[in-house]
């Protein structure tokens, strides 16, 4: 069965997620990747209608709103995004979200830390 994969790649957002108290104050930069898979069988290229797919801008707005609500765990952010995406677009069959903290507060660590959630 044909599918489309709607993607947001390397979206940079600032948020205040984290277990440590200071993360709620200082925040951190996050890089987020999103993939939403949807059935393409009902898409009509002759109509060229946005209503038969998912708008990238709308996906970004859902992501932005979820990232704006402070929580301790990135796993929570990922699950909330997945739920909101599925509620808003029932024709989304599956997808994944990857949230990367670009400067994690881990002493002596150079690199990034993050989570990926497949739904």
């Amino acid at each position: 069965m044909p599918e489309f994969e709607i993607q947001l790649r390397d979206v940079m957002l600032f948020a205040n997620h984290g277990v440590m108290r200071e993360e709620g104050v200082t925040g951190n930069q996050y890089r987020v990747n999103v993939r939403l898979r949807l059935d393409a069988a009902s898409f009509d290229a002759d109509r060229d209608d946005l209503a038969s797919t998912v708008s990238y801008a709308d996906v970004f707005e859902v992501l932005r709103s979820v990232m704006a609500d402070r929580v301790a765990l990135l796993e929570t952010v990922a699950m909330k995004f997945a739920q909101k995406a599925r509620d808003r677009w029932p024709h989304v069959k599956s997808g994944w979200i990857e949230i990367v903290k670009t400067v994690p507060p881990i002493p002596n660590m150079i690199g990034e830390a993050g989570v990926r959630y497949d739904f």
Side-chain angles (χ1 to χ4, degrees):
M1 181 169 288
E3 295 180 326
F4 285 113
E5 185 172 89
I6 305 301
Q7 304 178 3
L8 294 183
R9 295 184 193 154
D10 298 329
V11 175
M12 301 302 289
L13 294 165
F14 189 85
N16 295 76
H17 307 300
V19 174
M20 294 186 216
R21 183 175 177 262
E22 58 269 17
E23 290 179 287
V25 176
T26 61
N28 209 317
Q29 187 73 34
Y30 294 86
R31 186 179 63 251
V32 183
N33 292 297
V34 172
R35 305 291 190 272
L36 300 177
R37 298 183 63 82
L38 50 136
D39 185 1
S42 62
F43 184 80
D44 184 353
D46 292 330
R47 286 185 45 222
D48 196 30
D49 183 17
L50 183 59
S52 62
T53 186
V54 175
S55 163
Y56 310 115
D58 291 344
V59 175
F60 174 75
E61 283 306 312
V62 170
L63 174 63
R64 187 196 57 72
S65 72
V66 171
M67 288 292 290
D69 292 331
R70 185 187 191 288
V71 297
L73 302 174
L74 296 182
E75 290 86 343
T76 303
V77 178
M79 290 185 85
K80 285 183 175 189
F81 172 82
Q83 187 61 53
K84 285 189 177 209
R86 286 206 140 149
D87 289 348
R88 182 155 181 186
W89 302 291
H91 57 295
V92 169
K93 294 170 48 175
S94 64
W96 58 264
I97 180 170
E98 176 185 57
I99 307 167
V100 177
K101 190 176 287 192
T102 61
V103 185
I106 302 171
N108 303 314
M109 180 183 148
I110 298 172
E112 301 174 329
V115 300
R116 176 177 157 155
Y117 179 58
D118 294 277
F119 56 93

